[in-house]
Amino acid sequence: MKDLLMSGKPFILDDAIVGPEGLSLNIEGSSTNQFRLLRPSQELQKILAKGCIATIGHYFLDKSIDSNDNVSSQDCHAYISEQKKGNLMVKLPLAAGEDAALIAKIFEWQIPARIDDLSGRIMISK
């Protein structure tokens, strides 16, 4: 599944319906195959628009990075690798649907992320 999503090829779901809460796309006949729907807030969109490094800094390192920090010329993968911590876990709470929007954008930047089994928070493995 990860390889297919990372390839950028279309992913076609037959018999999919929106869940009763409006936050997931469910494959009919299967309770375990759910895809979260994106619900980015204006605040999340504002942070995402600053780029990969600013987003990682804000949500995973709890540090503010702005355009004055000259981060647009840096490689985000290298930035993540340079962090002293092992795996990076999201620090700030996200509203329902925002987590899916954050993961989608991180995937666009070709950074694999997952939901941690114990905490339920988004994690980037280094």
Side-chain angles (χ1 to χ4, degrees), residues 4-126:
L4 179 62
L5 292 172
M6 296 288 289
S7 74
K9 294 179 183 173
F11 186 64
I12 300 169
L13 298 174
D14 293 329
D15 300 323
I17 57 173
V18 176
E21 73 290 338
L23 296 173
S24 64
L25 191 61
N26 303 332
I27 299 172
E28 198 169 315
S30 175
S31 62
T32 59
N33 294 318
Q34 297 182 358
F35 295 87
R36 295 179 184 197
L37 296 176
L38 309 180
R39 300 268 193 241
S41 66
Q42 287 182 335
E43 177 65 23
L44 177 63
Q45 288 177 334
K46 189 170 120 181
I47 299 295
L48 293 175
K50 292 180 180 181
C52 183
I53 292 174
T55 300
I56 300 301
H58 182 80
Y59 286 102
F60 293 88
L61 301 170
D62 199 19
K63 67 165 103 164
S64 179
I65 298 172
D66 60 28
S67 58
N68 296 335
D69 293 331
N70 196 23
V71 296
S72 60
S73 63
Q74 293 180 351
D75 176 52
C76 195
H77 292 90
Y79 178 76
I80 290 169
S81 295
E82 291 168 2
Q83 300 310 308
K84 292 184 173 98
K85 299 177 183 179
N87 296 328
L88 301 178
M89 191 173 290
V90 75
K91 304 276 187 232
L92 303 174
L94 297 167
E98 283 186 329
D99 56 351
L102 179 58
I103 289 172
K105 191 61 174 179
I106 290 171
F107 272 29
E108 279 182 34
W109 290 322
Q110 298 182 341
I111 298 169
R114 65 180 177 85
I115 303 290
D116 181 60
D117 292 340
L118 297 175
S119 68
R121 294 189 290 167
I122 301 169
M123 175 182 281
I124 296 173
S125 299
K126 292 178 30 176

